[in-house]
Amino acid sequence: RAEFDRMCNGRFSYMIYPPDRERVLAEIENQIAHGPTDTCFYRIERRDGRLIWVHDEGRLVTDEDGTRWFYVVTVDITASVNSRDTLAQQNRELRQIIDNVPVSVFVFRKTAGEIRAAAVNGFLCRLLNTTPDALMALSDTQLLELVHPDDRTAVGAFLRRMFREEQ
């Protein structure tokens, strides 16, 4: 407790990494205005100078004397944030590669029994002179209409088999 008081002037807000402080305090204030709890994510600078990410769950409680207390549980989520950031960077790099290869890429997913486009690359969009959103809005029947008539039956059977076998 004494170390916390020395490092943070006895105030929770001083624990929050300064560039995050204003945002976090505004989030907490807004959430408490609409209910007794808050949830937020922010950084804390440890005494060794290392920054860590935390997930904060707080609850405002009023005791019998009318004194208000704010109870907070803070969990270190640095490893999860770092993993998420690494995965996001890898996804951006992969997306850049996929968008720039001179081959059509079409990713399908089966949702609610319907086969839909989940992702397409830039080459395919340029080939068909359309946008990713336009392609992904098409039904499976409409997607098959993009295939040459001589190949539609085979492509349709292939897609149905792939999704039936959950490949």
Side-chain angles (χ1 to χ4, degrees):
R1 169 85 193 213
E3 187 172 6
F4 175 79
D5 287 345
R6 184 180 49 75
M7 290 177 66
C8 301
N9 264 357
R11 297 184 55 116
F12 160 79
S13 62
Y14 286 12
M15 183 175 74
I16 303 168
Y17 186 55
D20 297 347
R21 190 174 296 148
E22 187 176 321
R23 172 190 56 83
V24 171
L25 295 177
E27 283 177 18
I28 292 170
E29 188 176 308
N30 181 49
Q31 290 178 38
I32 293 299
H34 296 95
T37 61
D38 84 273
T39 299
C40 54
F41 303 89
Y42 54 90
R43 294 170 292 177
I44 293 175
E45 185 173 5
R46 294 170 31 126
R47 66 177 163 210
D48 63 7
R50 188 170 66 104
L51 289 178
I52 63 169
W53 278 96
V54 296
H55 174 198
D56 168 313
E57 297 271 341
R59 182 167 187 83
L60 182 63
V61 177
T62 305
D63 66 18
E64 292 111 19
D65 318 4
T67 304
R68 293 168 45 138
W69 297 90
F70 199 65
Y71 291 95
V72 179
V73 175
T74 306
V75 179
D76 182 349
I77 60 166
T78 305
S80 296
V81 169
N82 290 342
S83 294
R84 184 200 66 205
D85 290 348
T86 299
L87 182 59
Q89 177 62 30
Q90 290 170 341
N91 282 341
R92 283 189 298 275
E93 291 168 358
L94 181 59
R95 185 69 209 193
Q96 187 174 20
I97 292 166
I98 289 171
D99 274 342
N100 289 296
V101 295
V103 68
S104 297
V105 176
F106 221 128
V107 178
F108 295 95
R109 286 210 172 71
K110 187 174 183 181
T111 306
E114 185 178 43
I115 298 169
R116 304 287 294 205
V120 297
N121 74 338
F123 182 82
L124 179 63
C125 291
R126 288 187 299 278
L127 185 69
L128 297 174
N129 194 30
T130 190
T131 66
D133 290 338
L135 284 174
M136 291 191 293
L138 299 176
S139 69
D140 55 348
T141 305
Q142 292 168 318
L143 288 169
L144 277 176
E145 289 174 11
L146 298 173
V147 176
H148 190 278
D150 294 346
D151 299 325
R152 283 186 191 145
T153 301
V155 170
F158 172 76
L159 287 174
R160 285 189 297 281
R161 186 178 80 245
M162 294 295 284
F163 283 101
R164 187 174 45 252
E165 295 171 11
E166 295 185 11
Q167 296 182 12

